[in-house]
Amino acid sequence: MKVLIKSTIKLDLSIPVDLYPDYVTSVHQELKNLVASSEGLDKYIRKNAEAELDKKVKKLLNSGVTIHTALDTKLQTQSKTAVHQKSVSMISREL
């Protein structure tokens, strides 16, 4: 017999957690480029309007937009682990 336990879960979104910061940065930059393109900002104008562009991207992200990506979290974790193990192995050999 399964017993259900009633509990409250508090979700705190004030502190973002990026488990894959490199990937998130890349996706964020792509979004920023798309917003700049849709606003007609070329590279020269964009340098002078970077703060305004950042505000538009932040507003878009806060609006509840959903971004679908092809991130394979299992493969990403395996890759990071392999790189870490290789780095530790190389450092160990140097000592």
Side-chain angles (χ1 to χ4, degrees):
M1 182 169 111
K2 292 182 180 181
V3 177
L4 299 178
I5 300 172
K6 182 179 179 180
S7 64
T8 302
I9 299 173
K10 182 179 179 185
L11 181 61
D12 182 4
L13 298 176
S14 62
I15 303 171
V17 177
D18 292 338
L19 298 177
Y20 308 99
D22 297 333
Y23 193 83
V24 170
T25 299
S26 176
V27 170
H28 187 265
Q29 187 59 50
E30 182 65 24
L31 175 64
K32 195 172 183 178
N33 291 340
L34 288 169
V35 171
S37 177
S38 73
E39 294 289 324
L41 299 175
D42 65 19
K43 290 183 181 181
Y44 174 76
I45 297 171
R46 184 175 167 175
K47 288 180 183 178
N48 297 323
E50 197 71 25
E52 186 63 30
L53 180 58
D54 287 338
K55 286 180 188 176
K56 289 180 184 227
V57 170
K58 186 174 183 175
K59 182 178 179 182
L60 180 62
L61 289 171
N62 288 335
S63 73
V65 67
T66 300
I67 300 173
H68 297 274
T69 68
L71 176 64
D72 182 337
T73 57
K74 184 176 179 181
L75 184 59
Q76 185 73 15
T77 300
Q78 289 172 345
S79 299
K80 288 175 86 172
T81 300
V83 169
H84 177 72
Q85 288 173 345
K86 182 70 173 177
S87 298
V88 169
S89 173
M90 291 174 69
I91 292 170
S92 297
R93 279 189 246 151
E94 291 176 2
L95 299 175

